[in-house]
Amino acid sequence: QVANLIGRQNVKLLVEQAAILAEISDLTLEEAQRGIIQLNQQAGILYGELTRQQIMSLSAREQEIILNENAAKALDVLNTVANRSVALEGDLVKTMTNFASGAKLAGDSFEFMAAASATLLEAGEEQGTAGRALRMMYARLGGDINGARTKVEALGFQFTDMNGQMKSMQGILQELHDKGWSQLNPAMKQNIAQTIAGNRHYVRFIKLMENFERVTQLAADAELRLDSAAKQAQRALDSNVRSLEQAEARVQNLQAAIGEGLTPFMIGQTQAQGDFLAATEMLTDGLGDMGKHLGRLMGVFKITQGFLKFGIALQSISVGMEMFASVQRSLQGAEIAVS
């Protein structure tokens, strides 16, 4: 699948970029790879302004340069937004994969997608809920579902440009903000939000509008790529914490290797135990009635063994008493001699 997206010769490039994302986020390497692939399929983050066909028509060196540059830009955007919000890079990826395709069709930038996701996450929304809410907004406005766009435009807002094309979500939010959203009463805000986002997600649209300045600030910071993902990943690799993680990983690897090396020994030991048990089974199967008599004999022996031990103990006490009496007699004889 990856080879079909970016060419077999560029798979290593994707793995390297995924490793950077995994290093700066809470994602595993596998999750980071999957996230980059999904975002590329939906928003074309690796292709930039080009299509897949155009990318594949370039030389291998040109492909490498463009894909590396676009991947680095996307990771810088995620890192910049994450560093300036409560959202983690992993949170942003999981939120954006819910709506990135619709946002791309609407003309919104990757920077805005990340900023809008982070703003909803900061407002207390979960990844899945935030992503689904944005997807619904794009769907209702883009398809004019239930007359969503038409009804809001009837209130005096312009959601299309001079060419009749629908504005991006960022442009729509800007339109509402510039034309007095903050001055509207709560009932009007709710009416507009329900029209655009539906009854299930209108609260999330209100959160976006109430925090619109936060969205634009995060998007502007992301556009500047203020925090390099690659540099942050390198700093993490050079840190003492990373050294400890590497040492722990080495111990785990050695333990696994030792375990693997001891496997033949454990197999041999287990086989020997199995052979002994098999021989015991053969022996017990062949005893028949003799086994029954032997069992009774062993039972009698165990019972009488106690009596024998008791008898020996009594005999030992008797010997001890005789020795004690002999010593006493000797002492008395010595006393008589002295006197």
Side-chain angles (χ1 to χ4, degrees):
Q1 182 185 18
V2 177
N4 291 333
L5 288 174
I6 59 176
R8 187 173 301 278
Q9 70 277 11
N10 296 312
V11 172
K12 181 181 178 182
L13 179 152
L14 175 65
V15 174
E16 291 173 350
Q17 294 299 327
I20 293 175
L21 177 57
E23 193 61 48
I24 65 173
S25 70
D26 59 329
L27 298 174
T28 64
L29 179 59
E30 182 180 353
E31 290 172 335
Q33 291 175 343
R34 189 184 306 116
I36 291 176
I37 291 171
Q38 290 175 333
L39 287 175
N40 184 62
Q41 288 176 317
Q42 294 190 40
I45 61 172
L46 299 178
Y47 300 153
E49 299 300 322
L50 302 178
T51 65
R52 178 186 176 281
Q53 290 73 19
Q54 290 173 324
I55 290 287
M56 293 298 101
S57 67
L58 301 175
S59 67
R61 179 55 180 164
E62 290 173 328
Q63 290 180 26
E64 181 182 358
I65 293 173
I66 292 176
L67 293 173
N68 253 324
E69 181 180 343
N70 290 332
K73 178 182 177 182
L75 296 189
D76 288 350
V77 168
L78 293 174
N79 194 42
T80 299
V81 173
N83 286 353
R84 284 161 174 73
S85 69
V86 300
L88 300 174
E89 289 86 354
D91 297 330
L92 297 176
V93 170
K94 292 173 183 176
T95 301
M96 294 165 68
T97 51
N98 278 283
F99 71 91
S101 56
K104 178 71 172 179
L105 289 174
D108 279 303
S109 66
F110 189 70
E111 292 81 0
F112 172 79
M113 297 180 209
S117 299
T119 301
L120 284 179
L121 293 170
E122 283 186 333
E125 299 296 336
E126 297 181 352
Q127 307 156 358
T129 306
R132 289 190 296 272
L134 285 162
R135 182 174 62 196
M136 179 61 73
M137 296 174 201
Y138 280 106
R140 289 177 65 85
L141 287 172
D144 199 17
I145 297 176
N146 294 329
R149 185 176 70 244
T150 304
K151 290 177 182 178
V152 179
E153 287 183 327
L155 298 175
F157 300 101
Q158 188 64 39
F159 286 179
T160 55
D161 58 23
M162 296 178 60
N163 298 321
Q165 299 293 320
M166 192 187 82
K167 294 180 180 179
S168 65
M169 182 64 70
Q170 186 172 8
I172 290 173
L173 298 182
Q174 186 71 57
E175 171 78 8
L176 291 169
H177 179 269
D178 292 345
K179 290 191 175 179
W181 170 270
S182 61
Q183 305 303 317
L184 299 177
N185 61 52
M188 181 61 73
K189 290 180 179 179
Q190 181 174 334
N191 180 42
I192 293 174
Q194 285 178 317
T195 303
I196 292 176
N199 293 330
R200 181 174 297 179
H201 296 296
Y202 75 91
V203 173
R204 283 106 203 175
F205 183 81
I206 292 176
K207 288 180 177 180
L208 273 182
M209 285 305 309
E210 296 296 330
N211 296 282
F212 178 68
E213 292 182 356
R214 175 64 171 158
V215 177
T216 55
Q217 182 60 57
L218 286 174
D221 291 343
E223 183 69 34
L224 295 174
R225 299 169 63 182
L226 297 177
D227 296 331
S228 168
K231 290 181 180 178
Q232 183 166 320
Q234 189 59 49
R235 287 195 297 271
L237 288 170
D238 294 339
S239 69
N240 291 330
V241 174
R242 180 62 179 178
S243 298
L244 176 60
E245 290 176 349
Q246 290 176 333
E248 291 175 342
R250 179 172 177 268
V251 170
Q252 292 176 354
N253 291 336
L254 288 172
Q255 288 175 337
I258 292 172
E260 185 68 23
L262 287 174
T263 300
F265 170 79
M266 298 300 296
I267 292 174
Q269 185 182 36
T270 304
Q271 288 176 340
Q273 291 175 344
D275 293 342
F276 176 78
L277 292 174
T280 304
E281 181 187 15
M282 292 176 60
L283 179 62
T284 55
D285 287 344
L287 288 176
D289 291 337
M290 184 182 296
K292 181 178 179 181
H293 295 305
L294 287 174
R296 291 178 63 86
L297 180 62
M298 289 297 295
V300 171
F301 176 75
K302 287 183 179 180
I303 294 172
T304 57
Q305 186 179 26
F307 291 106
L308 291 173
K309 288 182 178 179
F310 181 69
I312 293 171
L314 288 177
Q315 186 175 1
S316 297
I317 293 173
S318 176
V319 172
M321 292 297 293
E322 290 180 1
M323 292 178 64
F324 177 75
S326 175
V327 171
Q328 287 293 324
R329 288 195 297 271
S330 299
L331 290 174
Q332 288 175 358
E335 290 175 356
I336 295 171
V338 170
S339 59

